[in-house]
Amino acid sequence: MARLALLSVSNKTGLIDLARRLVKEFDFEFISSGGTAKALKDAGLPVTKVADYTGSPEILGGRVKTLHPRIHGGILARRDVPEDIADLANNQIRPIDLVVVNLYPFEETIAKQGVTLPEAIEQIDIGGPAMLRGASKNFPHLTVLCDPAQYEEYLQEMHRSNGEPSLEFRKKCALKGFLHTSSYDQAIAAYLSQNLSKEAESPQHYTLKGKQLQSLRYGENPHQSAAWYETGTTSTGWAAATKLQGKELSYNNLVDLEAARRIISEFTDTPAATIIKHTNPCGVALGQSIQEAYQKAFNADSVSAFGGIVALNRPIDAGTATELTKTFLECVVAPSCDAEAQEILAAKSKVRVLILPDLSCGPKETVKVIAGGFLLQASDDAVANTSTWQIVTEKKPSDDELEELLFAWKVCKHVKSNAILVSGDRTTLGVGAGQMNRVGSVKIALEQAGEKAKAAILASDGFFPFDDSVKTAAAAGIKAIVQPGGSMRDQDSILAANELGLVMVFTGIRHFLH
């Protein structure tokens, strides 16, 4: 008797070629439902409709097609269990050798603008997952394919094994089937959680799923394995970036690129550049042009900029490209790059140059893995608004000083805590990052700024628990400080600022970055 294959696919890529080869090379017969049966028939291939095979018509507008014992009996029957074979014979059920199923495009549907909940619900496949799970469970006795990319591999395996795919191959296909249904169910659960439980601050159940985009050479260190995964069915963020040139991206490249993207997304109205080392900014600046912004950012700490990650919020032009080639850089990302600039950058062929038109494409949530679980939080995407700030000193900031305070505050938000940032002329002058006490960060930032600290601005991501940081800043020549406020000893800092003639502004919001 000819082999029997059940074909029921939403994505018909490669279907007809697969079916033709199955008939010609391996003597298969087909049962199919709905659009798959029509596609096979239109291609001149013999096919039996599921409704004709089961004797039960499709009902409920196609919601029920394959949910029938003649289908699932053929899928789940164990060929080495006599009772199962007897059940098949008594119920006129043919054993199914191959199940080719992929699912309704649920994720593609919900990715569309304006899709309604009823529209999304109709794209929740029922029969498909049931067949996939059944066929995957019974992998010792049949093969299941859920991705057109598997078709050629299956045909090659059939030729290699004289028409009997190895147990290892079938097991691998079963795993892919279960991963497919698991991913599908997670997408549905996540969508319904977002749409039906909007009143909840945090979901009771949170699923994280991804598809491997690329295997990376290693992780943070050479002895650590690593891979890059993308989420969703439509590539977004770094998965959607175009690499114009350079070596493959590394784990650390991607981590630093994301840190650079977060900083540069703070600035949209003015050309801005940032240079990142180990997720902290060593230089951030605004300019009249993107070339000026980059030059200012580079000069802010040219030593640390060596081997850095550069993010620009304007297209790369020839002048900027020329400046970028004057030092060693790991990566450059910008919204676009003109043809002349590409030619110039090609001289540094190992530099990774990426184009990401939407630099503000950040995640709404962040996840950190801990032993036994993970932590979920909303992204720190609060927009700074100077109208809500409180000027707590007798001395008030000028309009220009307020703009400088805003610049420093936006950048300080993206420095590892305890974070202190000194700025002037919309350029970082000193950065104190990740110290165990705040006054230590103050000293590092001021030492780096040196003489440039005179008449500069200082930003702190957290409040000052004592007035020592204020006094240290004043001694270095700082003229204004922006900080969250909220310490039990705020008044001590305010008094010190008044005595020393400083401006101090409280933002009322903290930006710790651990």
Side-chain angles (χ1 to χ4, degrees):
M1 182 181 290
R3 304 169 194 264
L4 184 61
L6 171 61
L7 310 181
S8 181
V9 295
S10 176
N11 178 2
K12 295 177 177 56
T13 302
L15 172 71
I16 301 305
D17 182 61
L18 171 68
R20 284 190 175 128
R21 292 185 63 183
L22 289 174
V23 170
K24 182 179 178 180
E25 298 170 23
F26 301 105
D27 194 27
F28 266 93
E29 294 180 355
F30 306 130
I31 51 176
S32 297
S33 62
T36 305
K38 182 179 185 303
L40 293 171
K41 185 177 179 181
D42 290 347
L45 290 161
V47 59
T48 300
K49 290 184 178 180
V50 166
D52 295 334
Y53 178 71
T54 62
S56 297
E58 294 185 10
I59 61 172
L60 307 181
R63 280 190 166 196
V64 178
K65 298 188 284 282
T66 57
L67 297 170
H68 193 280
R70 291 200 79 192
I71 298 298
H72 288 276
I75 291 173
L76 287 164
R78 293 159 293 186
R79 314 295 171 85
D80 56 354
V81 177
E83 290 82 2
D84 284 9
I85 300 303
D87 281 341
L88 293 184
N90 292 336
N91 292 279
Q92 298 181 309
I93 299 173
R94 289 180 63 182
I96 295 173
D97 299 283
L98 173 65
V99 172
V100 182
V101 172
N102 55 60
L103 309 178
Y104 292 171
F106 179 80
E107 288 183 277
E108 290 86 343
T109 298
I110 62 174
K112 296 175 183 175
Q113 289 289 331
V115 67
T116 65
L117 181 60
E119 288 171 338
I121 286 173
E122 285 308 310
Q123 291 302 316
I124 297 177
D125 204 328
I126 303 300
M131 290 186 289
L132 271 183
R133 287 177 60 81
S136 297
K137 174 179 178 176
N138 205 29
F139 72 85
H141 305 284
L142 56 79
T143 307
V144 57
L145 306 177
C146 62
D147 184 345
Q150 296 174 288
Y151 296 170
E152 183 59 33
E153 185 182 7
Y154 170 74
L155 292 167
Q156 291 178 6
E157 174 70 13
M158 287 286 282
H159 281 292
R160 260 194 314 268
S161 59
N162 295 319
E164 293 296 334
S166 69
L167 181 63
E168 192 62 29
F169 179 82
R170 284 178 272 140
K171 188 189 298 183
K172 184 174 72 172
C173 291
L175 172 60
K176 192 171 179 80
F178 280 123
L179 288 172
H180 190 41
T181 57
S182 172
S183 174
Y184 195 76
D185 286 341
Q186 286 180 17
I188 296 167
Y191 174 77
L192 292 178
S193 176
Q194 292 169 2
N195 283 269
L196 302 181
S197 304
K198 289 182 179 178
E199 71 281 359
E201 290 186 7
S202 299
Q204 292 299 305
H205 298 275
Y206 184 85
T207 56
L208 183 66
K209 67 186 185 70
K211 180 177 68 175
Q212 189 177 121
L213 186 67
Q214 184 179 328
S215 177
L216 302 173
R217 285 180 60 201
Y218 53 81
E220 287 181 295
N221 299 289
H223 64 277
Q224 294 172 267
S225 61
W228 177 10
Y229 293 79
E230 67 172 328
T231 56
T233 55
T234 303
S235 294
T236 59
W238 295 109
T242 301
K243 184 159 73 74
L244 298 182
Q245 66 171 59
K247 299 184 292 185
E248 289 297 320
L249 291 166
S250 71
Y251 179 96
N252 290 334
N253 289 158
L254 287 160
V255 171
D256 284 336
L257 280 165
E258 177 61 11
R261 185 203 61 76
R262 289 176 181 173
I263 291 180
I264 211 68
S265 66
E266 294 280 353
F267 305 101
T268 56
D269 297 336
T270 306
T274 183
I275 306 173
I276 294 290
K277 286 292 287 291
H278 310 300
T279 74
N280 281 306
C282 56
V284 183
L286 308 183
Q288 293 300 311
S289 67
I290 197 62
Q291 180 177 341
E292 181 191 8
Y294 170 72
Q295 288 174 315
K296 289 170 67 178
F298 177 81
N299 292 333
D301 186 355
S302 58
V303 173
S304 297
F306 184 84
I309 305 288
V310 175
L312 310 169
N313 71 346
R314 294 290 188 274
I316 305 173
D317 55 26
T320 308
T322 299
E323 292 300 318
L324 290 166
T325 60
K326 290 180 178 180
T327 190
F328 167 62
L329 298 171
E330 286 280 352
C331 305
V332 177
V333 62
S336 63
C337 180
D338 68 36
E340 187 179 357
Q342 287 188 47
E343 289 184 17
I344 294 168
L345 289 169
K348 295 276 189 175
S349 60
K350 292 183 179 180
V351 178
R352 303 157 179 91
V353 178
L354 293 96
I355 300 305
L356 184 61
D358 183 9
L359 287 162
S360 63
C361 57
K364 293 187 171 80
E365 300 153 327
T366 62
V367 178
K368 283 194 176 182
V369 178
I370 60 173
F374 59 86
L375 306 175
L376 175 71
Q377 68 170 352
S379 293
D380 186 6
D381 54 7
V383 177
N385 183 356
T386 56
S387 67
T388 64
W389 291 2
Q390 182 183 6
I391 302 169
V392 295
T393 48
E394 295 167 0
K395 193 170 184 178
K396 310 303 178 187
S398 66
D399 290 345
D400 184 69
E401 287 170 340
L402 191 60
E403 284 299 311
E404 191 70 46
L405 287 163
L406 178 61
F407 169 80
W409 182 244
K410 284 182 174 183
V411 179
C412 189
K413 169 183 175 180
H414 299 280
V415 178
K416 293 284 187 179
S417 298
N418 287 312
I420 297 293
L421 186 133
V422 177
S423 81
D425 189 27
R426 314 303 189 265
T427 305
T428 56
L429 304 175
V431 180
Q435 298 306 299
M436 285 59 74
N437 63 76
R438 191 158 299 278
V439 73
S441 288
V442 171
K443 290 177 180 178
I444 290 171
L446 291 172
E447 182 180 352
Q448 187 182 17
E451 288 298 309
K452 293 179 181 178
K454 292 178 179 177
I457 297 295
L458 184 144
S460 173
D461 67 345
F463 60 64
F464 292 137
F466 305 101
D467 62 6
D468 50 1
S469 291
V470 176
K471 292 176 179 178
T472 301
I478 293 295
K479 65 178 178 180
I481 294 173
V482 57
Q483 57 135 319
S487 168
M488 293 177 62
R489 304 185 66 167
D490 273 347
Q491 197 58 37
D492 291 351
S493 293
I494 295 170
L495 287 172
N498 282 330
E499 288 173 5
L500 297 165
L502 272 65
V503 171
M504 184 177 287
V505 175
F506 285 0
T507 65
I509 186 170
R510 188 184 76 185
H511 285 302
F512 279 177
L513 179 62
H514 284 83

